[in-house]
Amino acid sequence: MFGLVDCNNFYASCERVFRPELEERPVVVLSNNDGCVIARSQEAKALGLKMGDPYFKVRELIQQYGVVVCSSNYELYGDMSRRVMWYLQQVSPAVEVYSIDEAFLDLAGMTQHFDLGRWAGEVRGAVRQRTGIPTCVGVAPTKTLAKLANKLAKTEFVGGRGGGVLVLSDEAERREALARVAVEDVWGVGHRSAAKLHAVGVRTAAELAGVGDAWARKNLGGVVGARLLHELRGFSCAGIVVEDEARKSLACTRSFGQPLTELVDVAGAVASHATRAGEKLRREGMAARLLTVFVETSRFAHLPPPYSFSTQLTLPVATDDTLTLAQVARKGLQRIWRPGKRYVKAGVVLDGLERAGTGPQAMLFGDVGVTPQRAGLMRALDALNGRFWAGTVKVAASVAGPGKTQAWAMRRDVKSPAFTTDWGELWAVRC
């Protein structure tokens, strides 16, 4: 059996944890640079606000109904996600963190010792008590059915008819659930596949489960389509994927708060991304062998393509050293830099990941290898940033000059405080 725990309206729920005055009020969270709506509370959904709505187009509606607007606070959301996932890892033998707000749980063998419906309800309550985040839980014999059960549990919970938990433990429950879900809402069915299914009269997940394997192989992606049918029929084709197996690459990218034309400004952004990438590597015990740096101009400007420039560099040895990554990233940026262009985004992508310490640690010539002194420096860097707040100690290239602001920093005009990761922004309790 598998469980899927999904946080309800996650970004909006994170905002409400530390701002109880937002309960029962419509709340939306905006994307980078306050561009589009990327998260909505249930009350905001009821007003007709859609995912991806440009903020400037719905501003009048937002003002009319007093919708609370929040800039993206990724520091808060990431930390709240880690808290939720940490607890789930304490109550399940294996956890696959599928996204920032949902995770699959391996419940193999637990049916012999637990009532899974009661157990899932207790887990849901404990997550709410420990983190303040509301969740819904779906339990089923396959991951696809667990996803479907979670969707129904969430729909019923929002409608006030359920307790946020749905367990599909037998054939009758599975058939009833499949009949209630549209085929386009099945996990793994995209727009094109849904159109093909509608063309042959397949409208529900139950009807999809009855499609022949040969037709599925021909029209739904070969083996992938056949596996989808087997999963809907209750036969598991995919197990839990732990994080070590899932991580193939690592990316740190951001759009700029304003278009940039100066190399020093873009280099500051790239250095910041390389710093963040190094921190992630060390936290996960990984090292990288390949580094890609890219910059982009606006695709909507009246300029000829290309819109994106990138280059990949091979590191002499796999490394998690921030200073090395920042140095190599700058070399890559200088290689692809085109003067006179207005850049709107940059990023660093790391590939060829391996467990740190499994490869050679030093080079015969040069100083690119990981020395004990540099490893100690990185530990000190992480300790300081962990003890105080992220960015307490930075690479010099990512710091603006005296009296200047970071020209590349995201625009977040209505960002809430970093309630859990910045000592200067913690809640103050006054007696």
Side-chain angles (χ1 to χ4, degrees), residues 71 266 304:
S71 298
V266 179

Side-chain angles (χ1 to χ4, degrees), residues 382-390 392 421-424:
D382 293 338
L384 287 169
N385 288 333
R387 179 178 179 182
F388 298 100
W389 61 84
T392 299
T421 57
D422 188 334
W423 284 106

Side-chain angles (χ1 to χ4, degrees), residues 50-62:
K50 302 291 192 299
M51 288 286 287
D53 279 346
Y55 179 42
F56 74 92
K57 287 188 176 181
V58 296
R59 191 191 302 267
E60 184 175 338
L61 177 64
I62 285 174

Side-chain angles (χ1 to χ4, degrees), residues 230-244:
H230 285 283
E231 287 257 324
L232 289 175
R233 295 166 184 164
F235 302 100
S236 178
C237 299
I240 295 295
V241 180
V242 298
E243 187 174 356
D244 286 348

Side-chain angles (χ1 to χ4, degrees), residues 11 31-33 38 72-78 100 251-258 260 265-266 268-270 272-274 276 280 294-297 343-349 407-412:
Y11 288 179
S31 63
N32 292 350
N33 299 309
I38 58 170
S72 296
N73 188 343
Y74 297 118
E75 298 85 354
L76 175 64
Y77 310 150
I100 192 172
C252 292
T253 71
R254 284 287 186 273
S255 297
F256 305 143
Q258 58 184 324
L260 302 179
D265 293 329
V266 179
V270 168
S272 178
H273 297 329
R276 181 70 178 129
K280 289 184 177 181
F294 72 87
V295 290
E296 293 181 3
T297 60
Y343 296 100
V344 298
K345 185 177 182 179
V348 170
V349 183
W408 49 269
M410 282 194 303
R411 186 173 66 252
R412 296 193 284 183

Side-chain angles (χ1 to χ4, degrees), residues 8-20:
N8 300 342
N9 308 319
F10 181 59
Y11 288 179
S13 294
C14 288
E15 297 289 347
R16 282 176 164 171
V17 169
F18 298 95
R19 300 172 65 187

